[in-house]
Amino acid sequence: MFIHITGTGSCLPEKVVTNDELSMRLDTTDEWIFSHTGIHSRHIAAPDECTSDLAVCAAKKALEDSGVTPDQLGMIIVASSSSDYLGFPTVSCLVQEALGAKQAGVLDVQAACTGFIYAMQVARGLMQFDPRPTLVIGAETMSRVVDWSDRNTCILFGDGAGAAVLEGKETPGGIRDAILKGDGTGSGMIFRAGGVRAVPAEQGKLPFLRMNGRAVFNFAVKIFDEVLSALVQRSKLVLNDLAQIIPHQANARIVEATARRMKVPLSSFFMNMETTGNTSAASIPIALDVLNKTGKLKAGDLLATVGFGAGLTYGGLLMQWTKPLLQHA
Ligand code: UT7
């Protein structure tokens, strides 16, 4: 059985916050932010909106795109590092209730910005035992996790959700390979407290995200090369065989440095962080949905995703786009 993506969906909050608006309350400028990140604006959730709402909105669109109904789902997997609740219930439980997906199991995956890649591989594994359609979602309300007085981090992130429906079919193609990796030696590079371990420096403060941006940047460029090279080599391909590379939408400078280092044209990488910012685990499925809905993916196209995040976690997927073939089969 081959695991195919048969539908995608995404959802961004209505409210847009531009760099110029940020520069009115922070010591920063649109020029600095855009030249260092490629980001001009990001979507920010309304006060009564959060991760599970965005996840449900993206999920409904992905289900509609695939033709799968909620009661056909065998599993709902949500990747998020900004869950509605610090403890429980999980986001996937809230999504299951909202969709009325009565037959589905529910699971949250925490791998920070690499979460969607991890969740897709978990889904692919679980579907070997239960081949019913699976809904995989990356959803974040990063605006509730960042410190809005810290110009090093708050300018980077945005809110949103992306979803994909996976179905098992006999037709070859779909998800062909996955690389999941971790490097706990970098656990201090991106950090957010709030669990049961007391962190003296953070005591009494809200558990905001903290980051050593320069160290993360260097790590990202190195692992983009490592993961993309391994994905193509393992399948006896070359980088030019990839119709699209969908990187985690963290920073356009990371993608540009990767393109130079790997001698790949920048046009091979899809980027939309200019208007979304970094939506963490949602960034790759949102980008995939934009590509799908704007007709940029052709039957048989080889796609690679690559991501990195707190943990440190990193990884990638190699996929063959088959949605048009399956629809017309
Ligand atoms: O999903 C994973 C999430 N993490 C990432 O993707 C982070 C990867 N790293 C980055 O994207 C970049 O490192 C940043 C965009 C975060 C920072 O860019 P940088 O070129 O690495 O800048 P820097 O941290 O080396 O800081 C350079 C200067 C500093 O000033 P001084 O010390 O040289 O006077 C910063 O204080 O830029 C200053 N700075 C700012 N200035 C204006 C930092 N943030 C800002 C800002 N506006 N928003």
Side-chain angles (χ1 to χ4, degrees):
M1 185 178 70
F2 298 88
I3 309 296
H4 298 263
I5 296 176
T6 59
T8 67
S10 62
C11 198
L12 295 165
E14 213 174 295
K15 184 177 176 188
V16 172
V17 174
T18 63
N19 292 346
D20 281 333
E21 287 171 86
L22 289 183
S23 70
M24 286 184 239
R25 45 183 152 115
L26 273 177
D27 181 13
T28 190
T29 58
D30 175 48
E31 197 281 326
W32 192 97
I33 299 173
F34 188 70
S35 64
H36 284 73
T37 68
I39 297 167
H40 256 315
S41 60
R42 68 288 293 143
H43 292 253
I44 300 294
D48 61 349
E49 187 177 41
C50 78
T51 304
S52 66
D53 304 308
L54 298 169
V56 169
C57 168
K60 285 182 175 167
K61 293 180 187 175
L63 287 167
E64 192 187 338
D65 191 38
S66 70
V68 168
T69 56
D71 57 302
Q72 291 176 310
L73 290 172
M75 183 64 73
I76 299 171
I77 305 180
V78 177
S80 181
S81 41
S82 50
S83 305
D84 290 36
Y85 302 103
L86 198 53
F88 31 79
T90 55
V91 180
S92 49
C93 275
L94 302 171
V95 172
Q96 187 251 359
E97 189 214 354
L99 295 178
K102 293 198 173 61
Q103 310 302 322
V106 283
L107 176 68
D108 276 24
V109 168
Q110 222 293 25
C113 302
T114 324
F116 184 75
I117 291 170
Y118 267 77
M120 290 284 277
Q121 177 69 340
V122 169
R124 190 174 168 227
L126 291 176
M127 287 175 80
Q128 303 304 320
F129 300 98
D130 181 346
R132 287 179 295 163
T134 292
L135 178 62
V136 182
I137 306 170
E140 303 282 11
T141 322
M142 294 305 288
S143 61
R144 308 267 166 78
V145 167
V146 294
D147 177 352
W148 285 100
S149 66
D150 177 11
R151 69 177 184 175
N152 291 291
T153 52
C154 72
I155 52 117
L156 298 172
F157 293 95
D159 300 335
V165 174
L166 302 185
E167 290 186 76
K169 308 263 183 196
E170 293 311 315
T171 313
I175 304 171
R176 288 183 30 170
D177 196 10
I179 292 175
L180 304 183
K181 300 204 76 167
D183 180 2
T185 63
S187 57
M189 281 189 206
I190 315 177
F191 184 80
R192 183 182 173 225
V196 294
R197 181 180 290 275
V199 180
E202 296 281 331
Q203 264 167 9
K205 294 184 190 164
L206 282 170
F208 290 131
L209 178 152
R210 304 286 172 210
M211 182 175 67
N212 177 344
R214 186 43 69 99
V216 176
F217 189 107
N218 293 337
F219 172 79
V221 176
K222 188 166 70 68
I223 71 86
F224 269 26
D225 184 345
E226 177 190 325
V227 171
L228 290 171
S229 300
L231 281 175
V232 291
Q233 278 161 24
R234 278 161 43 150
S235 289
K236 300 193 172 26
L237 299 166
V238 292
L239 286 163
N240 278 342
D241 292 327
L242 299 173
Q244 294 274 351
I245 301 170
I246 307 172
H248 169 42
Q249 305 288 315
N251 183 329
R253 304 290 97 84
I254 293 174
V255 179
E256 286 160 12
T258 303
R260 277 196 303 275
R261 182 179 164 132
M262 300 189 75
K263 299 187 173 50
V264 181
L266 190 58
S267 56
S268 304
F269 292 84
F270 177 77
M271 289 196 271
N272 65 340
M273 74 280 278
E274 182 171 349
T275 54
T276 61
N278 176 350
T279 57
S280 190
S283 92
I284 289 173
I286 291 172
L288 182 66
D289 184 49
V290 172
L291 285 167
N292 175 25
K293 300 287 169 61
T294 55
K296 300 227 168 64
L297 302 177
K298 295 194 303 296
D301 274 356
L302 285 168
L303 315 175
T305 69
V306 56
F308 64 94
L312 296 165
T313 56
Y314 63 105
L317 298 169
L318 179 72
M319 306 180 289
Q320 189 157 27
W321 189 251
T322 46
K323 189 170 162 7
L325 293 174
L326 298 170
Q327 273 167 346
H328 299 121

